[in-house]
Amino acid sequence: MDSTPVAWSNADAYLADLLIGHDPHLEAALSAQRDAGLPEIEVAAVGGKLLNLLARISGARRVLEIGTLGGYSTIWLARAVGPDGRVITVEAEADNAAVARASIDAAGVGDRVDIRIGRGADVLPSLVGGFDLVFIDADKESNTVYLDWAAKLGHPGTVIVLDNIGREGEIVREDSTDSKVVGTRDALRMLSEDARFDATALQTVGAKGWDGFALAVVV
Ligand code: DHB
Ligand code: MG
């Protein structure tokens, strides 16, 4: 068995080819993001489709995304909510938001996506609640702040997806000084201890290496 990052990536490409295939709007969004020099940290194609399926399975009509980057995951979510649905996506960097805006509009879902520029801690208190699904994929140091807002802006049954919980296994290091690991561990502890959530977490290997996501419901 060849369990290496290259093999994980090859298998991910096989699955994406098979289950997603050629998608010009998503491919254009990735190209625009690369051309603009944004970091290559968007969700993998199979992860984007997972978000899309979770939104559809849960019947989500109002989606909150924290961390837009270039709008790749936003397009997956916007497609899921349908023409009468709404995605509010929060992005701290105005340059990223401009790239995202163009790609989301070009993908034909611009009328359902509202990009709010600013740091989550500043923008989230201004939002009206009632979100059916919240995708948290921003600065890991603020994960617990984002989970708190996800609960406040959600309702019983709201689906929460928290990205990047595996961190190449570093999450087991209780003495870690990596702020992203600390932020992730704090978030996982909150999902465990805070009675507003019921959660699990899955590690993943694939195009993004060894990582994972937490999946929670607001109870
Ligand atoms: C990082 C952030 C992400 O959201 C991700 O999916 C991968 C890596 C990072 O900040 O390193
Ligand atoms: Mg991420």
Side-chain angles (χ1 to χ4, degrees), residues 41-43 137-138 140 163-164 167 180 208 211:
I41 55 171
E42 74 284 342
V43 296
D137 191 18
K140 312 311 169 194
D163 198 24
N164 308 117
R167 310 214 71 89
K180 294 182 185 187
K208 295 197 64 184
D211 207 342

Side-chain angles (χ1 to χ4, degrees), residues 10-49:
N10 288 341
D12 224 17
Y14 163 76
L15 294 171
D17 281 349
L18 194 63
L19 299 170
I20 297 162
H22 179 46
D23 190 315
H25 291 310
L26 287 171
E27 288 160 20
L30 285 184
S31 297
Q33 186 172 315
R34 303 285 185 261
D35 291 348
L38 271 54
E40 300 189 14
I41 55 171
E42 74 284 342
V43 296
V46 291
K49 180 117 187 221

